[in-house]
Amino acid sequence: MKKLNIGIVGLGRLGKEYAKNITFSVTNANLIAACSLKKEELDYATTHFNIPHVYTSYDEMLKNKEIHAIVIVSSTDQHADHIIKALQEGFHVFCEKPLAIEVKDCFRVQNIIKQYPNLISMLGFVRRYDKSYTDAKKKMTEGLIGTPFFIRSQTVDADKFAPFQIEFCTTGGGIFHDFNVHDIDLVHWFTGSEIKKVWSLGGAYRFEEFGEAGDADNTFAMCELDNGAMALLGASRVSSFGHNTFTEIMATHGNLKIGYPPFKNRVEISDQYGIRHECLETFFERFQEAFLIQIQDFVDHVLEGKQPDLTIENATKATLVAAALTKSFKEKKLINVDDLIPHSLNGHGG
């Protein structure tokens, strides 16, 4: 069996899960290199995944020509530069969402990708690989519920992870880039249209540290699409019961709900607390299978020499809306999304 040799950069909470999937579950790939600035993360990679080559320098890892592809799970503010360097050194690239914080960096990546048409580039919008979301997309494509006119989608994390997120809310771009970029991509994917106007509100209602960093722990945003449809996007870091991602699609001939309620399983418990269901705790628990399908799909596309349907342009569009939501939140006003496209790129396909 032909196998793809992979190097990974970033071994935090999600990076470790990618490393585990590649090592133990993707049979046509080998994880042969890892890069992190933290010695304890490299020690973890060596101990748990038996990775033969570890680096504290990304540039040094890119000199290893035994590697065929780079998986990027570094902080968001590093994504654009890490993608560009990998492509320029001749590697295929998979990068976790979002593509970048700044819109100009998205277009910078797009321009570099055009120079390397034989290299596979892919962004990690994992919900497109979740079986419930893909089933909903199939039903919509078949015309089951008619034409969608309103989508409500939210990303909600358990409150116990909020203190951890405070440290990274600036390098990650804030709650709209880190949380809602998934919801934005889903709206575009489900409707075939694009968000053009946004109004977002929110605040640091429980963890004032987010407010001090210019971010929020709870937000909602009303969006208008270019085809006239509507979207309401929510984000929260303070769920008391666990991770709560769900999407509702209202259409002319029916509705679809995905992931609501966020039950862990189908077991109903009756005890001294009443009748209840246990709920999912983390985003990775909710999308564990989808993460595996996603990285397997990247490996397969590289080995087959086929570009994925999920393009870098899709990622640019999601980042553009996330940036508009951030600007609306900070300036407390309606924002036209296209106004954030650099003047030199207006009319540019993106």
Side-chain angles (χ1 to χ4, degrees):
M1 178 189 296
K2 186 178 180 181
K3 292 195 175 187
L4 189 72
N5 289 341
I6 293 175
I8 188 170
V9 56
L11 288 166
R13 185 164 61 128
L14 186 54
K16 289 184 176 71
E17 298 295 345
Y18 271 103
K20 181 175 71 175
N21 278 342
I22 296 166
T23 301
F24 300 115
S25 301
V26 181
T27 58
N28 54 348
N30 293 316
L31 187 60
I32 68 165
C35 177
S36 173
L37 296 175
K38 298 181 179 180
K39 181 180 181 300
E40 63 271 22
E41 291 181 354
L42 294 178
D43 290 342
Y44 186 94
T46 303
T47 302
H48 289 77
F49 310 124
N50 197 30
I51 298 174
H53 305 288
V54 294
Y55 304 88
T56 55
S57 166
Y58 183 61
D59 290 341
E60 285 298 313
M61 185 172 75
L62 295 183
K63 292 179 182 178
N64 184 342
K65 298 309 178 182
E66 294 180 39
I67 302 170
H68 304 133
I70 302 295
V71 170
I72 299 169
V73 203
S74 53
S75 59
T76 300
D77 60 348
Q78 298 297 311
H79 285 182
D81 286 337
H82 282 169
I83 292 170
I84 290 170
K85 284 185 176 183
L87 290 170
Q88 290 175 334
E89 291 296 329
F91 297 105
H92 305 284
V93 176
F94 173 90
C95 183
E96 245 303 310
K97 63 80 195 169
L99 178 54
I101 298 173
E102 301 291 337
V103 175
K104 62 181 180 181
D105 288 327
C106 294
F107 285 103
R108 188 161 60 94
V109 172
Q110 282 188 199
N111 289 334
I112 294 295
I113 285 175
K114 289 177 182 177
Q115 299 174 27
Y116 300 93
N118 295 324
L119 294 176
I120 307 302
S121 303
M122 181 172 160
L123 257 288
F125 285 99
V126 70
R127 293 182 199 175
R128 291 196 185 206
Y129 290 89
D130 176 74
K131 290 183 177 179
S132 295
Y133 277 97
T134 56
D135 184 51
K137 173 67 172 177
K138 181 174 181 290
K139 286 177 167 55
M140 293 178 68
T141 302
E142 293 171 346
L144 180 67
I145 60 169
T147 303
F149 58 82
F150 177 78
I151 294 180
R152 179 183 176 185
S153 192
Q154 71 173 39
T155 302
V156 173
D157 252 354
D159 52 7
K160 73 176 187 177
F161 296 113
F164 164 81
Q165 293 168 351
I166 291 169
E167 180 184 352
F168 300 102
C169 69
T170 52
T171 58
I175 195 166
F176 299 106
H177 285 279
D178 194 28
F179 282 50
N180 284 138
V181 74
H182 282 297
D183 304 293
I184 295 164
D185 181 64
L186 287 175
V187 170
H188 291 169
W189 188 45
F190 281 140
T191 64
S193 185
E194 295 176 24
I195 295 171
K196 290 302 180 183
K197 294 180 182 179
V198 301
W199 180 285
S200 55
L201 295 170
Y205 299 105
R206 178 170 168 188
F207 295 95
E208 62 184 20
E209 295 91 339
F210 287 106
E212 293 167 359
D215 198 21
D217 57 20
N218 282 271
T219 60
F220 271 101
M222 195 70 199
C223 308
E224 180 183 347
L225 280 67
D226 59 8
N227 68 354
M230 304 168 287
L232 178 63
L233 309 182
S236 176
R237 306 181 191 269
V238 301
S239 171
S240 60
F241 56 83
H243 186 80
N244 185 15
T245 287
F246 86 85
T247 302
E248 180 180 12
I249 303 159
M250 298 178 66
T252 53
H253 292 88
N255 297 356
L256 296 175
K257 283 187 178 181
I258 308 149
Y260 184 81
F263 293 154
K264 185 175 184 178
N265 51 43
R266 297 185 180 183
V267 176
E268 183 177 271
I269 302 169
S270 300
D271 58 13
Q272 68 268 32
Y273 301 108
I275 299 174
R276 59 192 175 89
H277 292 266
E278 292 179 322
C279 292
L280 297 163
E281 183 177 32
T282 69
F283 72 92
F284 191 79
E285 185 180 7
R286 167 63 180 86
F287 294 105
Q288 185 171 7
E289 185 179 12
F291 274 109
L292 175 56
I293 296 170
Q294 175 181 248
I295 197 63
Q296 179 69 69
D297 189 55
F298 168 69
V299 171
D300 292 344
H301 273 81
V302 172
L303 292 177
E304 294 169 11
K306 294 167 51 181
Q307 291 289 350
D309 293 332
L310 176 56
T311 67
I312 297 300
E313 285 78 7
N314 296 133
T316 295
K317 291 171 182 176
T319 296
L320 183 62
V321 175
L325 291 172
T326 304
K327 184 176 177 67
S328 176
F329 165 70
K330 291 184 176 181
E331 298 183 6
K332 300 187 184 305
K333 66 180 184 181
L334 182 75
I335 298 295
N336 290 307
V337 173
D338 285 347
D339 289 347
L340 273 68
I341 300 175
H343 291 304
S344 61
L345 295 168
N346 263 310
H348 186 289

